[in-house]
Each structure stands twice: as C-alpha cells, then as structure tokens.
C-alpha cells in the first residue's frame, strides 16, 4: 500500500508502462501447495481484455500471461503448485502502434494524469499514458486470480449497477444475466437499454461513467485489522487506487446518511444456530471486521477523459491550446473495471485472511 | 495502515479503550525543530470534545492531552520544539462511570462492532465499546494537530454538508458560518433548520447520519505515491477507517458517473503563469497525484447505532433478545466527525509530503 | 523496523527519552486471550534494572511498568488477558536528577550519539542521552515479556560469554550458574575472575566491552521469511539495534570462515523419528529458516563511552576541548544487555511465528 | 524487509529460482530523471558472474540483464532516464542443464536450506537450490547498481580480507590491487598465497569460508533512522540476508569487546572547519546514524555446503543416507559475495538517504 505494492502478507507489486516492453506483477506471500494454472489466470484476464466488442477500446492485446517463478511441477505432486516463493507474472505489450505522440507529449489532456505526473516527476513515458494507463489493471486481474486460490470458498461477483445516469432496477436482478451481456449487468432489461445509450455516447465521441458493485459471499466473520487496517478501509483504498475511480461505498454507503438509526441497524435473530441478519445495510462489515454477511462494495468510475471532442488545455510550455484524443476511444471505461474490482476484492480478502490467521491461529 | 498504525514516514500509532485508564498516540517520523505547544493540540481536541451542547453525547471528558516525549525545551531554542523522535500523546479517561454493563456485555448491539470483535478475538472490553469506541478518534485529532505543523501552508477545513436527508444549499456557503453553529455548517439557514430537525431526532431517541466535506487548500501539485499509495486511495482509507463511515468520495465522486466526458473534464487555461483549472470535478487529484487545486473529500457517516428504541438482537449465548441503549446518547455522531476528518486529511497529506520529499528532494 | 517500530505482525513501537516524563512501548498485533500480568513483565524488567550491584550504573529507577490498554479483566474470564488490541506500557522516569548538563549539552562525547543526533536533527534532548540513552531498552524488555507469552514453549536464555578480553571456558558451562552471579555468566569460575577484573576497570574510571550469547530452545523447524525477512537477518537487525552493539553472529559465526566445508556441515541422522543434527554450527538456521535446533545468537557490546578519563572532542561551536563524564558510570554496559538481547530474541521469534502461521496456517 | 522485499522508500523486490525461466527484481521508489544504462548495470553483474576463473562455480550464465520498465528515452531528454516508476529487471536463466536431480530431490544436503524449506513449505523447487540458491544475488547486484545512481557521490568498495583461516596483512593494503586478482583482495601478497591455498581446497573437493569488508566513503553525517531502523541495524540485516553469511560487524566489531573505553573512543579534533576523527573504531556509525566517517562493514561467509566428499544426512522419507554434491562446485562462495555485499551497502544507503531527505528536507 505504498508506491507500487499492495498488501501486507499477501503482497502484490506491479510494474510496467502502457507502451513499454511488458507489464507484470510479483505476488509474494502466497501460501504454498495451492494448485495453480496459467489457464485459470488467463481466464480472468480475458474478461478484462480490450477489443472484445464495440463498447470497449479497440486496442488489440493478447494479454497472454506467463508465470516466471514461484510455482513448481514435480513428478510427485502432479501439476503446477505454488511453492510459497514470489510468483512473477509477465504480460508482454504486443500492440504498441508506432504513431505520432506529439500532441499528448506536449499537451496535458484534461482529466488525465499527464499534468500531475509531469509536476511530480518532471519526466514521463507519455505513450498511451505510460504508468498511469489503465493497462496496469491487467496485472491486478492476474494477481487477483492468485488471491482467489487462497480463499477458494469465497465467491466474488462484480457487476455494473449504473451506466451514465442510468441505474439498474434491482427487482430485475439475475446473477445469470451478468455473463449474458457486454456490460456485466445483472438486469437484462437495463443491459438492452444501455446498449442503445452507449452506442449514442460512442458515436458522439463522448464518454460516460459507471458504478460497479462487487459482492463477496462466504467471507467468515472475523476478518479485518482494526483500526487502521480495517477491512472496509482497505477495500476503500483498493478500489480508489483503480484508474478513474472517484468514490467508494460499503453496504448502504452514502444513502445511510439519510436513514434513521432504527432503519439502518441490521437486526439479528438466531437461525440454524447462527446469527441471521434481517438486512445488510452494513455491507457485511462492522467495526472494520467482517460479520459473516455478504461483503458489498460499490465504486464510481468517472467518464473517460479521452474523448473525440476538443477540450481547452495547456502545453508543457505553458501555452493555451485545445486537445482532442485521436484513435482508439473507450466510451465507458467502467465496463472493464468490473473484473478489476473483483480482483482487488480478492486481494484485500486474501491478505486480510492471512493476517487474521497470523494473529488468531 | 496495518493494525493500529497509519502512515509511512509520518506514522501514527494509537492505543486505548473507551473505559480503560487512558488513550493515546505515538507520532513517529515528525520532522525536528517544529515549534509545538500543548495548547495548540488541545485547541483541536476541544472542537471534538463531547458534551459541548445538547446535540452531542453527554459524556464529560476533559480530553486533556499530555506530551510525554519527542519535544524539548531548551534555554537556547526558547520554547518547545519537536526533536524528530517519537512524540507520545496521552489522554486520560476521566469519565469512566461505574455502571452495570450487563446488557452490552452479553448482547450484541445491532450495527455495533460487538459481534464482530467477539467473532474475531473471543474476548473484548465491552465497556463503552472498548477499542471500537469513537473515543479513539480523540487520538487522531491530537495527531492531526501535529501533522498540521508539518505542512503549515496547507489550510484544512471540514464542514457538515448533509444531516440526515437534509443537504445544505451550496449557494449559501459562507466559511465564516462554520464556527457559528454547533454543526460545523457553512450554510447558516440549513444550520437553523437542522437544529429543529436534530432536536426531533434526539427527543424521539433516534439518530441520523451525516455527510462531511473536508477541503485542503494550498496543497502543491505533485503529492501522491502511485499506484497503490495514491493520494486519493490513502484519503479513502483514512476516512473509511473513522468509526461509522460508510462511503468516501473525491471531488465529484459518485455524481461523476452521471456526467459526460465533456462535462467532467476540468479544462485548463494559463493564468499568471500557472495552470488555472476551469472547474474541479477531480477534487484536486489526477492519477493519484495532487494537481494544485483544492483537495476535496466527502464521507458519509451512518446514523449512530446506539438508540433508545429497542432492536432485535442475539446474546453471546445465541439467544434471541431485544436491546436498548441506556444512558448517554449521541443523535448525530457525524457532527464530531468533522474535526476527525480534518485530522485524517492532515495526517495523509503530511505523510505524502514527506514521502514526496524523500523521492523527489 | 523503521523509525521506532520493530516487527510486522507482532509490532513494538517505543517512545521516550532518558530524562523526559516517561518512556513506554505500544505492542500491537498480540494474539488475544493470553493470560498476562504486570508482575510477570516487572520480573523481566527487574533483571535489567540499574543500580542492583556495584557493577552497573548507580542510577536508581524503580522501572515500575503500568499497562494502559489492550488487556481486560472480566469476571467471567477471571484474571487479566490480552484482547488483541494494542497493549500500551508506561514506565515513568523517577530519577531525573536536576543537574548541570552544560558540558554534554555543548560538547560531543566521543563514541556517543551526541554528534550524530546533532548532525541529523539539529536539536536533541541532551539530558542523559535523551532518546539515544540505553534507558530505552527497558521498553524492549517489557515488550519482550509479552512476546514470550506468544511462544510459551520456547525457552530463551541469555548469558555473558566474554567480558573485556576474558572469555568463559565452555567446559565449565552450567545453566544454573547464570542467575548466581551479577554477570549472567554460566561459568562460575570466570564469574569470580570477572569480579576482580571489573572492579579494577571500575576503579580506574574506565570501561570494558562484552559478548552476549542468547539461545532459544524449542523453536520448531520452519520459522523465517526468506529472502529479506530471514530469521537470521531479523535477529541481526534486532541485536544490532541495541545500544553499543557492534557485531552479531549466528551459530559458528565469524569462526565458520576458518572451517572446512566438511567441518562446518551439520550432519544429520534420524533419531526417534526426527532429524537429529550431529552438531550446530548453523546456530539453528538454514536458508533463513529455523531448523528445529537451538537458535544461537551472539553479539558484541563495545565498552561504554562514558568514562571518567578525559577524551579529546569538539564543541557544537566547533572548538577543540576535552570531556570527562561526571557522576554515574557504568563500567560494563554489556551486563544489562543480557535481558535486552533475550527480549529482542523473543520479539523476533514471536513476529516470525505469527507471520509463519499467517502464510502456512 | 519482509518476505522478498527490502527497503522502505527505495524498495527492491526479487523473484525467481535457480533453474526456473528467469530471475528478476523490481526496484521501486527510485528518484526520476537519473541517467541510467543497461551497460552500467551489466558491468556490476559481470563482476559477480560465475565461471570467470577456476576459483568460482563453472556454471555458465550470461547473466544478461534487461530493463522492462521505469525508464524512458525521449528525443528531448536524450538518453535513458529513470521515470520514478518501478524499474523491472529481468535475467534469463540460460544454463539450466537437464540432469538427474534425484539425489538432492530426496535427500537433504547438510548445511543447505533443503531441509528447512521442506519443513516450512512442504514443497520446493529442488533444482539447484531453487529460491534459496545464490543465483538470486544477481538480482541484488543489478538493483544495487541502480541504488548507486541515487547516491553517486558515495564510493563503495568491497574486498576479501580473509579466506579460510588466512587473513590479509593490512599493512599491505592497496586499493589498486583489488581488481588485480580473482579474489577482490587488497593485499597482493595474500592473494598469491590464497591462490595456492584455494587450489588445494578445490582439488580436495572441499570448500572454505571467507570474510568480506565493504567500505562506503562519502556518506554524509546524519543518515540513519533510529531506533529500529538504525543504519547499522539495516546493514546487519542486509548482509545477513545474503546466502551463507553467518556474522556481521561494524567498525571494530567483535574486537571492540576487548578494548577499553579509552581505546575504543574515537577522539575528535577540528580540521578545516570540520570534525576530524582520530580513529574509526565505530565504523562510521554512532547511535545508528552516520558520522561522516567511512562506513565499514564486515561479514563472514561460511564454507560452501556443496562439497565432493560424502556427508551423513537423511532423506525426505526419514531414512539415513550419505550425500555427495556432484558436478559444479564452488570452493569459496565468499569471493562472489564481494559485489553482492557492495550492492546491499548501496541499497541500504540509498534507502536511508531518501528517508533522511523525507524527514529532514
């Protein structure tokens, strides 16, 4: 959780720029002897892969992941297993189109990290956003696939619950629909409407934001490291660290401010010898510790800054100018944030689980 | 950012339970030679102190802070200064009313951390919430006062922008009003209305939530540690770690999802030789790095769980029961979260500043 | 392991100066439900306490420890237990003699941290060494007493194996003798001789160094976090962080350089179904991981810099001068380092154990 | 300093096994805009490269390093520079001889990490030592080359001061000789004798240990993070984390125990307006902070465990057996530890420098 490393016992360090040789991650602290396969990791990467339909960027990356270390195939153990040593993952950048970067080299795109990287570092790899590109999130997804191996009994499911100003109708929720549309949307009717809406956005050269909900089921009560490593605090940090995210909420979130204490309290009864909550306004977290209910996080993604319509900006030489993003254009970057949010949920939970096990046995 | 420590170079470790002997904090990594006084720290604590009006808990704590270490008064330096060694702060608990804790010892209050602490630790100091009590936030405020000394040119101002369902009218905003009402509210008209509203909530034994906005002005462009120590990610973690917080947003936040790319982009012109942003939807942060604009954070506080109306719950023995909070009652805990949010902003910024200076000189 | 905090899951943060109000420690990450008592902690502190005989400093400190938080006495649990929240320990400074500090305020004592603290911080609490005083080690001993509770099956025993140039005769080793002399010496004959030797050193106003050996028995095979959190690397860091320590070695240590590969290899046979090592040149650690043998660490303490004979030095104003330490004088500070070394061993092992349990279950 | 990451602001994470696809490092937190070249890094790697003469292992590795990220060649900046983002370094394993690993797969080599890795992880890549192989130190050397860029005014020089039982004669010391013999030995006469000695060791199939001294000149006074991040504590951890190291000492080290306080104190005079120490028993560190003198560290490397003579051991099935290392054999692994020790010195100093700059400006 400093610089380019996330986590404490389950630690993910990522590296690489959008248009460099490759991007990658080192996953450290993973328990040994977990069965692992490149194919399983690749499966999660494919969900995030660009260019799969007209609604996401047309950049064409194979996003083929390689495991460089930390696993071992022994004739005795039969099949690849983690060894407890660092697992290095590498993804080569194959679609590094040679092009003229002149404009984004010299002018700061409003809403992008161009200006702030320049202010901080005085030098930046401007090609495709460099380190600040959403391309880095592929590493998160790959690392998240490994995190899931640590907590196989936890089921993590992300979906888009709002596109632009259009929210889903929760009474239409059907988990089976999530994989049935290009938006990871659980409301089939909304997905249909979004298709029309997003086509309009795309054709107009504009972009829109989104809200993603990620739910983890099967998290036992007791995970979390109060007070500054609270489960919700780390989820907030994890989600906010994803490109373009501007807000995070747990359970009822901002809406809880408008509820009365009576409405908001999740009452409890016993059922089958276990606590049975009558509602889940808390989003499965109390005092920074999981309660055994579903852990529910939502995060807001702002509209992509790269749009085809000119915006006022300045050059690095301090002159006023206008800028237009050319070429590939992602009308709703929030769609591909769904597998990324799932991955960050997995990483936070795996790390909290290991720390919990460390302190508690 | 693990267990009970927050920060990397500027590090705050807190300890203590609501009804123990004392609470306190150790602030490590503070630069030396900063003029410091107990009175200045006390001033911030007094803003958070309970029992100051009928709208906050009637617990009566002096909240008198003592500095145990890390400062030195030398005849040559004239006046107390930091020495660069750990600054230990101690606040004694004076209002530990002897009372029967039977009910909250044995029954889990819905919405409280009772059940989850029990699930995690198997033992807890149940008196007044123990470690999970909002009392700990006094330590944050004291540590935040020291953080401000590190970045004296940054001005940090928190205020309540929503109480229960009632938002302020931003066209009434007047910074001078914030200190003029018991709600840290910049809209004098709203404050008047809230008074009536909150009296009703209080008398009915209920509670309500709130939304707090914290703005830091004077933050230079360039602070932030991408990608996992992004300025916004750490602010999200910092605010979410405050008791009862369920959501955090930066700048436009969740509302940005509904904006178009054109609307959301903060256009830039040159003015007096500097970048001049035409708007601040980004909340002063791009790519996890400060842009030089105001840093704007909002967080939602849920309604206090301790209410005077009975709620269904279970006992630690697994039996159904009802529970009512007795005694002191805080109808809107969000009010006292204002100085706490300011303190966390100060701590995050001081830490990021030192890390920035470490890497960049 | 940064600034004033040691450890990862079991974390110790210390604060306080030699002549300030108090010194103390916050122990975070301790497992809950461990029976704990002030008396047990005090017992370890008493071993380190100054002024117990003519061979240690005549400073008179009660070194009475108070527990401020993190423990709970419940009528049900009967007796004090840890709660899993931060345990704050406080020791008041009672022997802060009012005296003229003029000389050590203005002149740098050779071999002391005076000059370097001044170079780094530009300000320092010069009274009695301030933060750099060996007084801080009382906090380590108190924290170490808690660490022992985490691994009660591990037995940790420190002893002096060399005073000045005089080594013990290992053929005389008798663990029972360690408590029978003021030097924690397992060789009764050597202890007798040291008494005469140290009286001479003391009376001449000089000082001497020492070598301490700390052995931990009962450490299971498998603890250690390779490659940069190796068990031996952390022991080296832990011991070297104690005041006046200039060298650390594991097992055969520096002597291993002179052995052949055949001599140095600890051969293994099976015995009672377990590996039985034929020797322990490795000091119980292979590849940074415990082997199940005794963990053996030695560290060298330099002679106390505070001596009664004048030494050439400079003033903070950059003038040549001579300096003599006045008043209390500790002829062999290594003696009191024995319980400190034991404490650091306990802290390293407790932390490594929790991390091992985190990763491995 | 946990798992596979070393450092705080300047952080090095390494990955990879001896006979896997590749090994590598991610260097995070490096300041931007430092001129960097693959050739400069390769130069340091070549000093450590195996198979350069008959005295080191005959494994033939090109050890060709690639930079995957964190640098940028811009037409404007002319030449490769660091960008402040993570620098990933990759070294492919080219000499992975296909061979029968049967014996070391099933039997634990005495003195190796085989047994402890098995005890900890229950699975290990046994080929060539896997993660515990000295091959990992190539990553340290590459990372160290980058660390040197951060503190170009510091000169770091390592040399062998003892081989087996044979120490150099310090009166023969000549820095220019260090590069003139295969042992990094500053004493030409000793180097000659060592040649004969080591040939004998090699031919007998045995091995010997060594002591390495690393000296850093040009370190300003003031670096170090007392009390648990002391400069000497981190150097101790850094050196002890190198394969086969069993002891670390600073300055006079263990010999200081035999000195009197008068002898050991480094007296100070003013010279050219600066403190001028009359000796350097302290090894350039007082109270964990650099004094401005040369920083002097020595560490002991045990004799290689892989020898051609049979040793008693057990199998993973718990049966007694004998084992002999076959094939390549490194009679004095300490030789190649010289550039590794230099690299760890550079990494510790670069990290301490950045942290110092963070706190102090």
């Amino acid at each position: 959780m400093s610089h380019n490393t996330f986590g404490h016992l389950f630690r993910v360090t990522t590296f690489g720029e959008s248009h460099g040789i490759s991007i990658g991650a080192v996953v450290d602290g993973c328990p040994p002897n977990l069965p692992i396969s490149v194919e399983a990791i690749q499966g999660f990467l494919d969900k995030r892969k660009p260019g799969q339909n007209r609604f996401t960027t047309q950049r064409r990356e194979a996003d083929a992941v390689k495991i460089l270390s930390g696993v071992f195939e022994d004739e005795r153990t039969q099949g690849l297993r983690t060894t407890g040593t660092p697992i290095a993952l590498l993804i080569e950048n194959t679609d590094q189109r040679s092009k003229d970067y002149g404009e984004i080299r010299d002018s700061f795109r409003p809403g992008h990290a161009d200006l702030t990287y320049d202010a901080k570092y005085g030098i930046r790899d401007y090609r495709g956003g460099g380190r600040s590109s959403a391309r880095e999130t592929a590493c998160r997804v790959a690392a998240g696939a490994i995190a899931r191996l640590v907590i196989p009994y936890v089921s993590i499911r992300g979906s888009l619950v709002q596109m632009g100003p259009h929210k889903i109708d929760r009474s239409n929720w059907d988990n089976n629909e999530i994989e049935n549309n290009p938006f990871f949307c659980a409301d089939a009717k909304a997905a249909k409407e979004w298709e029309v809406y997003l086509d309009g956005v795309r054709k107009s050269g504009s972009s829109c934001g989104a809200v993603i909900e990620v739910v983890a089921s099967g998290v036992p009560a007791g995970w979390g490291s109060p007070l500054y490593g609270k489960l919700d605090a780390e989820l907030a940090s994890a989600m906010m660290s994803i490109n373009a995210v501007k807000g995070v909420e747990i359970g009822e979130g901002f809406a809880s401010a408008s509820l009365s204490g009576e409405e908001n309290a999740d009452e409890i009864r016993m059922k089958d010898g276990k606590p049975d909550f009558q509602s889940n306004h808390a989003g499965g977290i109390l005092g920074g510790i999981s309660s055994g209910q579903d852990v529910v996080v939502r995060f807001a993604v702002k509209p992509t800054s790269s749009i085809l319509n000119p915006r006022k900006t300045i050059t690095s030489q301090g002159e006023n100018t206008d800028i237009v993003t050319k070429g590939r254009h992602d009308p709703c970057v929030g769609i591909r944030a769904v597998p990324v949010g799932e991955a960050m949920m997995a990483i936070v939970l795996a790390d909290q689980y290991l720390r919990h096990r460390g302190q508690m046995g």
Side-chain angles (χ1 to χ4, degrees), chain A:
Chain A
M1 312 212 179
S2 109
H3 286 313
N4 294 281
T5 298
F6 189 90
H8 294 85
L9 287 194
F10 186 91
R11 296 157 70 85
V12 178
T13 301
T14 70
F15 61 85
E17 282 81 29
S18 172
H19 285 59
I21 296 168
S22 58
I23 56 173
V26 181
V27 177
D28 197 9
C30 187
N33 266 310
L34 303 178
I36 188 174
S37 74
V38 176
E39 293 71 23
I41 302 173
Q42 192 62 53
F44 287 104
L45 277 169
D46 289 347
K47 286 180 68 178
R48 196 210 74 102
K49 202 166 63 178
Q52 302 195 95
N53 55 58
R54 70 182 184 277
F55 301 112
T56 57
T57 177
Q58 294 309 298
R59 175 170 176 147
R60 301 254 166 219
E61 287 285 2
D63 275 3
V65 69
K66 271 192 283 194
I67 304 181
L68 300 183
S69 66
V71 298
F72 192 51
E73 182 170 11
D74 186 358
E75 60 260 42
R76 289 179 303 185
T77 55
Q78 293 185 308
L80 225 49
R81 284 177 182 267
T82 61
T83 61
T85 62
I87 303 169
L89 303 164
L90 200 76
I91 302 170
E92 281 172 35
N93 290 326
T94 51
D95 186 11
Q96 311 158 43
R97 298 193 193 174
S98 159
K99 68 171 178 180
D100 176 18
Y101 291 99
E103 195 164 41
I104 62 170
R105 188 189 70 178
D106 296 321
S107 297
F108 302 126
R109 291 166 293 172
H112 263 93
D114 301 339
L115 179 139
T116 53
Y117 268 66
D118 210 70
K120 184 178 191 72
Y121 298 114
I123 180 176
R124 67 194 159 91
D125 183 343
Y126 43 74
R127 300 168 303 162
R131 181 68 183 149
S132 73
S133 165
R135 178 136 188 74
E136 185 266 349
T137 59
C139 301
R140 301 179 185 228
V141 171
I146 296 174
R148 289 173 190 253
L149 303 176
V150 179
I151 46 171
Y153 43 86
V154 173
S155 157
I156 297 171
R157 172 183 45 72
S159 63
L160 222 65
V161 296
Q162 180 180 335
M163 175 179 288
H166 307 293
K167 300 187 181 183
I168 60 161
D169 178 349
R170 284 189 179 258
S171 66
N172 293 337
W173 192 287
D174 180 354
N175 281 340
N176 298 320
E177 288 297 331
I178 293 175
E179 304 286 323
N180 278 345
N181 57 71
F183 308 121
F184 304 104
C185 178
D187 172 357
K189 187 154 167 290
K192 276 283 163 217
E193 294 162 0
W194 292 357
E195 208 162 310
V196 179
Y197 167 74
L198 194 56
D199 266 332
V201 170
R202 182 170 59 86
K203 285 172 187 162
S204 70
S206 185
S207 65
C208 69
V211 177
I212 289 95
E213 182 171 292
V214 181
V215 178
S217 304
V219 177
W223 293 2
S225 303
L227 293 177
Y228 296 106
K230 282 178 173 172
L231 179 52
D232 38 4
E234 295 197 349
L235 286 169
S237 165
M239 301 307 170
M240 195 69 95
S241 77
I242 301 172
N243 300 47
V245 172
K246 301 303 284 186
V248 183
E249 55 183 14
I250 307 290
E252 199 67 35
F254 276 88
S256 70
S258 301
L259 298 181
S260 70
E262 288 79 4
E263 291 165 332
N264 189 63
D266 300 315
E267 295 188 300
I268 323 173
R269 296 279 87 168
M270 289 303 294
K271 188 177 174 185
D272 305 331
K274 283 184 178 173
D276 182 49
F277 292 87
Q278 311 294 299
S279 53
N280 189 11
H281 298 293
I285 304 174
L286 291 168
I289 302 172
S290 61
S291 68
Q293 289 199 282
D294 280 1
V295 174
V296 181
V297 182
R298 268 183 308 282
F299 58 93
V301 175
K302 69 178 183 183
T304 326
S305 311
S306 300
I307 47 181
L308 305 189
N309 303 313
R311 309 303 296 159
K312 293 179 197 160
T313 191
I314 57 172
T315 67
S316 52
Q317 264 60 48
E319 285 168 1
N320 288 338
T321 185
D322 278 9
I323 194 163
V324 178
T325 299
K326 282 166 192 157
R328 298 178 295 215
H329 157 243
D330 211 345
C332 182
V333 77
I335 300 170
R336 291 169 57 216
V338 172
V340 182
E342 288 183 348
M344 294 312 292
M345 171 71 91
I347 292 168
V348 168
L349 290 175
D351 186 40
Q352 287 278 9
Y353 165 56
L354 297 186
R355 286 146 72 191
H356 177 76
R357 190 164 70 173
Q359 188 178 10
M360 313 305 302

